[in-house]
Amino acid sequence: QVQLVESGGRLVQPGGSLSLSCIVSGLTFSRYTMGWFRQAPGKEREFVAGISWLGGRTFRSDSVKGRFTISRDGAKNTLYLQMNGLKPEDTAVYYCAARPGGDVVVNEYEYWGQGTQVTVSS
């Protein structure tokens, strides 16, 4: 069974930093594009960032460019999201997701984690 388990979400002050992790099991990690999504209360789930298999290509949404960095560690089967300069509008449940192939896309992800809560507030 494919499982994606996020961790690292917590309360952080505006302007602060936070690192999220997603441990992936049940698939060949290096053959999947990985992505981070988020969903704020009352809003649709939105794409945050994606990274191709082997990590050679990344894409970030305009709302997080210059602040968030996506990366992956093939040896650990782990996806990361480093978040800097956090804003209250970043408050959301953050989900990791996986899809087969090397393309970085904002949809068509097949597998999803359960999410981790990030709250940005003073």
Side-chain angles (χ1 to χ4, degrees):
Q1 182 178 0
V2 175
Q3 292 190 2
L4 289 71
V5 181
E6 305 95 335
S7 63
R10 62 175 176 86
L11 174 67
V12 63
Q13 295 183 348
S17 298
L18 193 63
S19 181
L20 305 182
S21 299
C22 174
I23 300 176
V24 180
S25 62
L27 55 77
T28 303
F29 185 62
S30 63
R31 297 181 180 179
Y32 281 74
T33 289
M34 301 295 301
W36 285 101
F37 293 75
R38 67 186 182 186
Q39 187 168 23
K43 295 185 177 181
E44 297 290 326
R45 181 176 294 183
E46 66 173 343
F47 176 81
V48 176
I51 185 167
S52 66
W53 57 5
L54 305 181
R57 181 185 177 192
T58 62
F59 177 78
R60 293 167 291 174
S61 68
D62 290 340
S63 64
V64 304
K65 285 183 178 178
R67 299 189 297 122
F68 292 9
T69 301
I70 187 171
S71 62
R72 63 195 295 166
D73 186 335
K76 298 181 178 180
N77 278 17
T78 302
L79 176 73
Y80 301 96
L81 184 67
Q82 178 64 47
M83 304 183 291
N84 300 319
L86 285 163
K87 305 174 181 179
E89 64 197 67
D90 295 318
T91 296
V93 177
Y94 283 71
Y95 301 88
C96 65
R99 67 177 302 277
D103 292 338
V104 177
V105 297
V106 300
N107 52 28
E108 299 181 355
Y109 284 80
E110 296 185 11
Y111 305 105
W112 298 84
Q114 295 300 306
T116 184
Q117 177 70 50
V118 173
T119 302
V120 184
S121 177
S122 60

